[in-house]
Amino acid sequence: MTLYSDLGLRRVVNAAATLTRLGGSLMPPPVLAAMQEAAGSFVDLPEMQERVGARIAALTRNEACYVSAGAAAGIVVAVAACIAGTDPARIARFPSLAEDDRCEVVVHRSQRNGYDYAIRQTGARLVEIGMANGTEPWELEAAITPRTACVVFFAGGHFARGALPLEQVIAVAHAHGVPVIVDAAAQIPSISNLWRFTRDMGADLAIFSGGKGLRGPQSAGLVLGRPDLVAACRANGSPNTSIGRPMKVGKEELAGMLAAVAWSLEQDEAALLAGYEATVAYWLAGLRGLPGVEVWRGYPSEAGQPHGRAIVRVLPESGRTRDEVVALLWAGDPAVAVAPFDADMIALNPQTIEPGEERLVLDALLRALAPTPAQEVYG
């Protein structure tokens, strides 16, 4: 860890999630090797984007693929593709193009989140349907007009409440000739989601983060689906002088994403998930019965992925608040990152734990939850 120590940085043991602010995930050796190999030579970048996209599309059982500069950039270029297509005149008019026809994007009110900024970045106007606790099919029907460019649907169990089922969204939108984009940034595992939303369910495009469950470069992502819309993503993306020009994908990221997809598809997902569950069971066994805390297995993960998490509630009798425990974990060296939620709980996610780190997390928690001197004196 010479680089980090030279910069005065501590290593982080990540028991929170594949968060961008913590570096996403850790790339396996084949991904690092592919990126290093790509860095050793110049290449025709647009041609490489097409060739890598074609290879990834074949691997993921899709018709086409565009490698984006992360999932949020994938949303930008995908929405731009639906608004402008490959028409150079329309592409050149972003973001004022949104004042023209076909500039509205339909979203569920219950799915509004920080990442829908990527939609608005194109200049598109969001048209909300439904309420926080429910949406009716007629509301989607009524929202679609000749100005509708697409419907954007955010996948994952945490976005399901209050929204129409994706199958119904696709059926209604397609009946009106409107494409559906699925933001599935963190929906790996399951690996089958790479083709489930598009090939199996009929969504026009599905977007995945490259640096989360796929363990590729954090600054890369995938847009999978219809060939014409993928071609429009390329037209609206770098290195073209278009809305996607700042969202550059280098030769190293292209090579890394191809290697990450190939590596991910070779993994035994059942064994991977079983390993996650074993880590959760280890944490629960080590914390269960500890004074001042309650622990249990939460399912699914915070992004709706099919694996458990260890949930820890910090009770008043522990002598500490939840936030004090989180701060103590973060103050260590290495720092331990966890996911606080509600007022008194933290979640421990096994997805980003390397072998042996589960013990570091447990030890750090036991230290943070140890009785204070006052508790030891007065019991």
Side-chain angles (χ1 to χ4, degrees):
M1 305 300 291
T2 303
L3 171 63
Y4 290 165
S5 58
D6 283 351
L7 292 169
L9 297 170
R10 295 169 297 154
R11 181 170 72 93
V12 173
V13 175
N14 182 4
T18 55
L19 302 175
T20 295
R21 65 179 178 83
L22 295 176
S25 58
L26 300 183
M27 294 182 286
V31 176
L32 295 171
M35 295 180 73
Q36 184 173 9
E37 181 179 353
S41 165
F42 294 104
V43 71
D44 183 318
L45 203 62
E47 185 177 15
M48 185 179 181
Q49 171 72 260
E50 288 197 45
R51 297 287 180 88
V52 166
R55 184 72 60 85
I56 292 176
L59 287 170
T60 61
R61 312 176 198 184
N62 281 279
E63 293 184 276
C65 168
Y66 174 79
V67 178
S68 61
I75 296 174
V76 175
V77 295
V79 171
C82 293
I83 293 174
T86 58
D87 182 347
R90 291 181 66 81
I91 291 171
R93 290 179 54 207
F94 275 116
S96 61
L97 176 64
E99 300 168 5
D100 203 344
D101 61 344
R102 208 167 73 247
C103 64
E104 295 179 348
V105 176
V106 178
V107 296
H108 285 84
R109 180 171 282 113
S110 62
Q111 293 187 347
R112 291 297 305 273
N113 63 86
Y115 300 104
D116 62 34
Y117 181 86
I119 304 172
R120 293 181 284 126
Q121 193 168 330
T122 65
R125 185 173 76 86
L126 296 184
V127 177
E128 294 184 349
I129 59 172
M131 301 297 289
N133 59 351
T135 306
E136 297 296 328
W138 68 262
E139 294 177 278
L140 175 56
E141 293 268 7
I144 295 176
T145 73
R147 293 175 62 84
T148 305
C150 60
V151 178
V152 174
F153 185 94
F154 290 89
H158 55 317
F159 287 126
R161 184 176 180 180
L164 294 170
L166 177 57
E167 297 91 337
Q168 194 167 26
V169 171
I170 292 170
V172 172
H174 284 184
H176 293 272
V178 171
V180 175
I181 300 170
V182 177
D183 174 24
Q187 299 307 304
I188 304 292
S190 298
I191 195 69
S192 61
N193 283 338
L194 288 172
W195 55 86
R196 185 171 74 89
F197 296 117
T198 47
R199 189 199 68 176
D200 297 348
M201 300 181 72
D204 300 272
L205 294 173
I207 299 167
F208 296 88
S209 172
K212 294 187 186 293
L214 289 171
R215 294 186 61 179
Q218 188 183 7
S219 56
L222 301 177
V223 182
L224 302 168
R226 271 175 46 183
D228 61 320
L229 291 178
V230 168
C233 287
R234 289 197 298 268
N236 284 274
S238 181
N240 300 312
T241 50
S242 56
I243 193 169
R245 181 62 178 85
M247 305 165 197
K248 185 182 297 182
V249 183
K251 57 188 184 298
E252 297 83 7
E253 287 78 22
L254 288 167
M257 275 314 309
L258 176 56
V261 170
W263 180 86
S264 295
L265 289 167
E266 292 171 355
Q267 303 310 298
D268 183 338
E269 188 167 74
L272 180 73
L273 294 174
Y276 292 167
E277 296 296 345
T279 297
V280 171
Y282 172 81
W283 284 331
L284 295 179
L287 295 169
R288 191 171 284 122
L290 194 68
V293 299
E294 294 176 350
V295 296
W296 65 92
R297 174 181 177 265
Y299 183 92
S301 75
E302 78 292 333
Q305 299 154 320
H307 64 78
R309 299 184 296 166
I311 307 300
V312 182
R313 172 176 278 136
V314 182
L315 302 172
E317 49 264 42
S318 70
R320 301 192 191 280
T321 66
R322 187 279 309 278
D323 290 345
E324 287 173 339
V325 172
V326 171
L328 285 168
L329 293 171
W330 186 252
D333 191 2
V336 174
V338 296
F341 69 103
D342 289 344
D344 59 357
M345 287 183 272
I346 61 174
L348 308 178
N349 189 326
Q351 187 182 12
T352 41
I353 293 296
E354 291 293 289
E357 289 184 340
E358 68 279 2
R359 181 68 200 179
L360 292 176
V361 173
L362 179 58
D363 288 347
L365 263 170
L366 293 174
R367 289 192 299 271
L369 293 165
T372 64
Q375 286 177 300
E376 291 176 346
V377 171
Y378 297 107

